[in-house]
Amino acid sequence: MDFVTAKLALGWVGLALFLGMAAAAWIGNRVRTRRTDAANDAEEGYLLSAALALLGLLIAFTFSLAVSRYDDRRELVVQEANAIGTAWLRAGVRGDPAGRELQAAIADYTEVRLGLSRLEPADQVEAATGRQQVLVWNKVRALVATDTSPIPAGAVAAVNEMFDMAGARKAERAARIPGEVLFVLMAYTVIAAGIVGYVLGANARRHRAVTAILFLLLTMAITLILDLDRPRSGAITVSQQPMWDVQASMRP
């Protein structure tokens, strides 16, 4: 259901952008046809080529930024799963009651973190994460208190890394493409569509199909960027399978 809702929301954004480009092209065409002194010349063709080339660079830059953020989120999921698995294994090295209690606390912590996989509200998951981290740390302190050997030091380091990965994932989810960048991209897209309509002038009807395809391609590219920039509400989300796998590894 969340996937369908996200698709519908992005669909409305894409439709609005496409209609905005169509309206801008129509306005540009009207302005051109009202100018009796205007003529289609090579200079205007060069202007259109330059405008579309710059638009392509803007889309490529923004798309690269969105994909980079997506890759970072995917890598952090793997790192957190690895950190949880390492902490759970090190907690059970001795096999005593304190170690087993720490393992149980880490398993509960993993269940809390899987709330992100189930698309539960992020603020609720983070609040539950903080509470569970306190419980896990109390178990770590109990383990250290009952063992003066170097073994608990490894568990402490692993638990610290596990907590650090949770913080890193939270920060990465908040790292979005700046709104100013997206605004400039959309504004430039609409302006470029107006230039297309102006340059085509009286030939706009003959190129209507090709122009519509161009606007559709631009809409798809920008919609994809917006989707990648929505880590939890978009249709394209990072796979949480590593977290599910580490939870499955904890079962006897």
Side-chain angles (χ1 to χ4, degrees):
M1 192 66 180
D2 292 327
F3 176 82
V4 175
T5 302
K7 293 287 286 185
L8 288 175
L10 286 172
W12 283 113
V13 173
L15 178 61
L17 180 60
F18 182 86
L19 293 178
M21 286 189 289
W26 182 84
I27 293 173
N29 180 258
R30 292 297 92 192
V31 171
R32 177 59 184 263
T33 54
R34 289 176 183 274
R35 292 187 57 191
T36 56
D37 60 333
N40 284 319
D41 50 32
E43 287 78 6
E44 291 179 347
Y46 295 148
L47 175 63
L48 176 59
S49 299
L52 293 179
L54 181 56
L55 176 59
L57 288 175
L58 287 174
I59 291 177
F61 166 76
T62 313
F63 182 77
S64 175
L65 186 60
V67 171
S68 176
R69 297 279 172 80
Y70 176 85
D71 288 339
D72 290 342
R73 292 194 295 269
R74 182 174 56 184
E75 181 64 25
L76 285 174
V77 171
V78 176
Q79 291 180 11
E80 182 176 22
N82 290 339
I84 291 174
T86 300
W88 187 84
L89 289 173
R90 290 184 181 179
V93 168
R94 293 195 315 168
D96 61 346
R100 287 191 292 269
E101 289 179 4
L102 178 56
Q103 282 188 316
I106 293 174
D108 293 339
Y109 176 83
T110 306
E111 178 63 25
V112 170
R113 297 298 296 164
L114 281 171
L116 296 174
S117 306
R118 294 186 288 265
L119 296 182
E120 297 176 6
D123 55 346
Q124 295 182 15
V125 175
E126 294 302 333
T129 296
R131 293 191 296 269
Q132 191 61 32
Q133 284 179 348
V134 173
L135 295 177
V136 171
W137 194 248
N138 288 337
K139 299 299 182 183
V140 170
R141 294 173 61 184
L143 179 65
V144 173
T146 58
D147 189 351
T148 57
S149 69
I151 294 177
V156 171
V159 169
N160 277 330
E161 183 179 1
M162 183 176 74
F163 292 169
D164 290 343
M165 287 299 103
R169 286 188 64 188
K170 181 180 179 181
E172 186 59 34
R173 287 196 305 275
R176 307 280 292 276
I177 297 176
E180 294 81 1
V181 174
L182 294 176
F183 175 78
V184 170
L185 176 62
M186 292 188 180
Y188 191 92
T189 301
V190 173
I191 293 172
I195 296 175
V196 169
Y198 180 85
V199 172
L200 292 180
N203 298 322
R205 290 187 178 181
R206 188 172 62 184
H207 299 287
R208 185 175 297 171
V210 177
T211 303
I213 294 174
L214 172 63
F215 291 170
L216 179 61
L217 292 175
L218 292 174
T219 300
M220 291 172 60
I222 295 176
T223 302
L224 180 60
I225 291 172
L226 294 175
D227 197 356
L228 287 170
D229 193 45
R230 300 163 68 185
R232 287 179 55 80
S233 60
I236 302 175
T237 57
V238 174
S239 173
Q240 303 293 312
Q241 190 59 44
M243 294 292 291
W244 291 105
D245 291 342
V246 75
Q247 185 190 50
S249 68
M250 297 177 184
R251 299 192 182 110

